[in-house]
Amino acid sequence: MDIVADVPAELINQRIGSLQAVMQAEGIDAFLLTQNVDLYYFSGSMQNGYLFVPSTGDATFYVRRSVQRAKLETAVQVAELGAFRRFGETLAQQYAYLFGKGAGLRIAADLDVLPAQLYLKLAELLGSPAHCEMVDGTAHIRKIRMIKSAWEVSRIEAAAEVVAEALSASLHVLREGISELEWMARVEYELRIRGHIGLMRMRGYNQEITTGMVISGAAAAVPTYFDGPAGGLGLGAASPQSVSRSIIKRNEPILIDIGCCVDGYVIDQTRTAVIGKLPAALQHAYEVSESLMALTEKLMVPGTACSKLYEAALECCAAAKLTENFMGFGADQAKFLGHGIGLEIDEWPVLAKGFHTPLEPGMVIAVEPKFTFPGQGVVGIENSYLITELGSRALTRSKPELIVLP
């Protein structure tokens, strides 16, 4: 079967150009990209290797495996990596105009995701510290990836459509007596047959996510290591989050926090469902979450600091006397209102205290006001938005309302 490049060549060239502009402004001589997602973003291929981008000149993707497939997938020049112990020599020969500078060469890398052992080996191969300094380029990568192109937005919209269709196709199976695991399996089936790749990537160390979580009743409020307002019992200590074998009951909240990944790009959405009727306190909290979403939609205009959106949400929660339940409970509260999405589920910007970056057209942000009640469950909503010149545009397709089942 023929392999066709997914990412347009002109988009790859534009991204590399943006990275080179940053390097020139920051006094960085070259960038070494190592992580799968970064490799895909800047080359269009996720084959095993290293992408070397000089501040001027052509980038090279040094591939261990598969060289043949990399050449079919990327517009960047591809070379066989060869013996890794000679990687420094290979770079010095091909980029003599850089490595011939002598002491003071600065090479940035994606150090937030680069294993320490590999970092030490690369630092050794690229020369002694007096000759070549490896610096952290994480912020530069994340800032560039923060602004989505029209092509990227179209992939996220495709994922949103898949989620909406899959949820709609699964609701008739959601009933009293079914287990969380059984119903989640149906949702995942509906997602997969529509093109979901089967996973959603995260950048955070030791943070993992599958297709999302479906959690009913008190289990949703059980805290766990995952940085979010809901936990879930999971299937054991080796998978301590999301769905369990718990049976879904009447008159309890069912948190449906699911996503989808199409062509590498994710959508993130949450809906709350109930078979019967929510308890009064949880119904009130759900209505506040809808009010919070409407408020945030109005505030999401270019130039507004991300931290201001979080502060406005806290003020709204205080007025509703729900501060202690917002985005978790007690010591396990998550300190954010939303987050960027794209190739990963935890991209920049973050709607949180101290994140003062102003909103810009092209950002795609998942906003998720939720409320946690220990012993009862979690309620809330989550939509993903594109920031435009005029404000925000919802990318999420599922109806933004409480799902009430008989």
Side-chain angles (χ1 to χ4, degrees):
M1 182 179 292
D2 292 337
I3 297 173
V4 180
D6 291 328
V7 188
E10 59 270 21
L11 193 54
I12 293 299
N13 293 333
Q14 179 185 333
R15 292 168 177 177
I16 289 178
S18 297
L19 187 59
Q20 289 180 320
V22 168
M23 284 190 277
Q24 292 164 20
E26 298 293 329
I28 296 171
D29 297 291
F31 222 110
L32 185 64
L33 296 156
T34 68
Q35 186 229 28
N36 279 352
V37 174
D38 289 338
L39 291 174
Y40 178 73
Y41 182 83
F42 286 102
S43 77
S45 178
M46 203 178 277
Q47 297 304 305
N48 189 341
Y50 304 91
L51 179 64
F52 188 82
V53 183
S55 57
T56 59
D58 295 333
T60 302
F61 189 13
Y62 294 94
V63 178
R64 177 180 287 114
R65 178 176 178 173
S66 158
V67 175
Q68 178 185 3
R69 182 154 182 173
K71 288 179 177 179
L72 295 172
E73 292 174 334
T74 179
V76 175
Q77 65 181 358
V78 175
E80 187 173 353
L81 177 62
F84 185 56
R85 66 181 182 277
R86 295 178 179 170
F87 187 38
E89 299 171 21
T90 300
L91 290 174
Q93 291 173 4
Q94 183 163 349
Y95 293 96
Y97 66 94
L98 283 181
F99 285 81
K101 289 175 56 175
L105 188 68
R106 299 181 75 227
I107 298 180
D110 40 9
L111 297 189
D112 65 321
V113 288
L114 183 64
Q117 186 181 54
L118 181 54
Y119 163 79
L120 294 173
K121 187 62 178 179
L122 285 169
E124 175 189 334
L125 294 174
L126 294 175
S128 64
H131 174 68
C132 174
E133 178 189 8
M134 286 191 71
V135 299
D136 189 8
T138 301
H140 302 313
I141 297 171
R142 301 197 75 171
K143 286 177 182 177
I144 290 172
R145 285 178 46 191
M146 197 163 56
I147 308 300
K148 272 63 181 182
S149 65
W151 182 85
E152 291 178 283
V153 173
S154 72
R155 299 300 82 211
I156 298 171
E157 288 180 308
E161 191 65 36
V162 168
V163 164
E165 291 180 4
L167 178 59
S168 179
S170 304
L171 283 176
H172 75 281
V173 182
L174 182 56
R175 65 184 186 277
E176 184 180 5
I178 195 172
S179 72
E180 295 173 352
L181 180 60
E182 185 180 353
W183 191 67
M184 186 60 167
R186 180 55 182 256
V187 173
E188 290 179 327
Y189 166 78
E190 297 292 350
L191 288 167
R192 285 289 274 164
I193 63 173
R194 289 171 171 81
H196 173 43
I197 69 172
L199 58 84
M200 296 171 68
R201 296 183 172 97
M202 293 194 71
R203 195 173 189 89
Y205 179 66
N206 276 351
Q207 290 293 297
E208 300 170 318
I209 193 167
T210 51
T211 302
M213 57 180 71
V214 171
I215 325 173
S216 60
V222 174
T224 189
Y225 75 96
F226 187 76
D227 188 16
L233 296 174
L235 295 175
S239 179
Q241 63 162 311
S242 189
V243 300
S244 69
R245 292 181 174 84
S246 295
I247 301 302
I248 294 173
K249 303 179 181 66
R250 293 183 60 81
N251 302 325
E252 65 178 16
I254 306 165
L255 192 73
I256 308 172
D257 186 347
I258 56 175
C260 171
C261 185
V262 172
D263 294 336
Y265 286 86
V266 301
I267 191 71
D268 196 8
Q269 77 166 48
T270 299
R271 294 294 181 264
T272 299
V274 62
I275 302 170
K277 185 178 180 180
L278 286 177
L282 275 67
Q283 178 67 38
H284 169 64
Y286 179 79
E287 291 169 1
V288 173
S289 74
E290 288 189 325
S291 298
L292 266 173
M293 187 68 82
L295 172 65
T296 305
E297 286 179 353
K298 292 180 181 178
L299 295 176
M300 284 195 298
V301 296
T304 302
C306 292
S307 55
K308 293 295 183 182
L309 300 176
Y310 181 62
E311 291 167 7
L314 291 180
E315 291 175 4
C316 184
C317 291
K321 298 182 179 179
L322 286 169
T323 299
E324 68 176 0
N325 305 95
F326 182 54
M327 301 299 285
F329 190 85
D332 295 302
Q333 281 184 306
K335 305 298 184 181
F336 64 88
L337 170 66
H339 52 89
I341 59 170
L343 287 169
E344 292 164 318
I345 204 74
D346 53 345
E347 296 196 359
W348 284 3
V350 183
L351 307 184
K353 182 179 180 181
F355 204 100
H356 303 306
T357 299
L359 295 179
E360 295 181 53
M363 291 178 173
V364 177
I365 303 171
V367 182
E368 53 173 318
K370 296 169 184 171
F371 295 94
T372 303
F373 295 81
Q376 297 183 74
V378 178
V379 296
I381 188 170
E382 180 177 22
N383 289 332
S384 295
Y385 297 89
L386 170 67
I387 305 302
T388 72
E389 295 285 355
L390 301 177
S392 63
R393 176 168 72 85
L395 301 180
T396 310
R397 295 286 186 268
S398 297
K399 291 181 179 179
E401 59 189 29
L402 179 67
I403 300 171
V404 180
L405 302 169

